[in-house]
Amino acid sequence: IGHLNALKGPYSWAYLIRTVWFCYQLIAALDRLESRVRILRAYETAPGDVSRAWDNARLMLDECRGPGEIRDVEKAANELFDALPLRRVPPKERLRVGIVGEIYVAMESHANLDLEETLARLGVEVVNSQYVSHWLQHNAKFAPWQRTYTETILEKATPYLKIDLGGHDKENIAHMILFRDQGVDGII
């Protein structure tokens, strides 16, 4: 509890809880939008359009000062994405690749050598298995009475891996199974 008191500082517990919840909502909105970006990039007609819209969305989210603003900005960001000119590709012709692995490498473009953007330039939708909001939800247990996304998917890996070996092992196996079930074309 000493660490929490240090984190809280001179502010009230209510203020700390509101601030943590606001930060989580902001991260979750970023994750939802980035998930969409990973799909849209594969179909952009002018390279960089989606990335520029994504940069604008992040700047708008950076200005948010409350949960209501987050919802409004997320809606505006989705409208930005909707306005982008995209190639039309029939669903059966779309290629989707899932990315699994250690959370930092799977999520950070510098660590994975811009894998997602490289795939997008090849016309491949990217489905990433790792999101900061999922990690926070699982590790912070904001609602302890609810099962987290991670807890839900871990059941898929249990028949294949009975013990925890570390390094996101069960999550990666669970995501591979989930990707297979979703009809993803390949996994990296």
Side-chain angles (χ1 to χ4, degrees):
I1 198 125
H3 295 296
L4 286 176
N5 276 327
L7 177 66
K8 180 179 92 50
Y11 302 100
S12 71
W13 285 105
Y15 178 82
L16 177 66
I17 291 167
R18 280 193 312 273
T19 302
V20 167
W21 184 245
F22 168 74
C23 290
Y24 172 75
Q25 293 297 319
L26 190 60
I27 290 167
L30 283 162
D31 285 349
R32 286 188 297 273
L33 291 170
E34 189 170 24
S35 176
R36 187 159 183 219
V37 164
R38 289 175 169 143
I39 294 168
L40 295 177
R41 273 192 184 132
Y43 308 109
E44 63 187 355
T45 56
D49 275 358
V50 174
S51 292
R52 282 187 289 281
W54 175 224
D55 289 343
N56 286 336
R58 287 186 296 205
L59 289 172
M60 292 186 314
L61 281 165
D62 192 41
E63 298 297 319
C64 290
R65 297 296 171 250
E69 290 180 40
I70 293 171
R71 285 186 294 276
D72 294 343
V73 167
E74 187 173 2
K75 182 179 180 206
N78 277 308
E79 289 169 0
L80 272 176
F81 295 152
D82 291 341
L84 293 171
L86 300 173
R87 288 182 297 113
R88 300 280 179 223
V89 178
K92 289 190 180 245
E93 293 178 23
R94 294 179 180 183
L95 288 174
R96 295 185 330 153
V97 169
I99 297 178
V100 298
E102 193 275 330
I103 190 168
Y104 181 73
V105 176
M107 292 179 55
E108 178 53 47
S109 61
H110 297 295
N112 65 31
L113 304 176
D114 292 315
L115 177 62
E116 292 181 16
E117 290 195 30
T118 300
L119 289 168
R121 281 193 301 275
L122 296 171
V124 177
E125 289 182 20
V126 174
V127 184
N128 199 315
S129 62
Q130 303 281 354
Y131 288 94
V132 175
S133 58
H134 293 165
W135 185 89
L136 285 171
Q137 184 187 52
H138 181 69
N139 290 286
K141 292 295 277 183
F142 294 120
W145 58 90
Q146 290 180 339
R147 289 173 45 125
T148 66
Y149 167 80
T150 304
E151 288 169 335
T152 303
I153 66 156
L154 284 177
E155 292 174 354
K156 293 182 175 296
T158 302
Y160 302 96
L161 189 61
K162 307 268 190 237
I163 60 171
D164 185 7
L165 301 173
H168 305 285
D169 57 349
K170 274 191 157 180
E171 288 102 328
N172 286 322
I173 290 170
H175 280 111
M176 285 185 245
I177 295 165
L178 190 65
F179 288 158
R180 179 202 63 201
D181 295 347
Q182 293 172 348
V184 170
D185 299 296
I187 299 170
I188 298 175

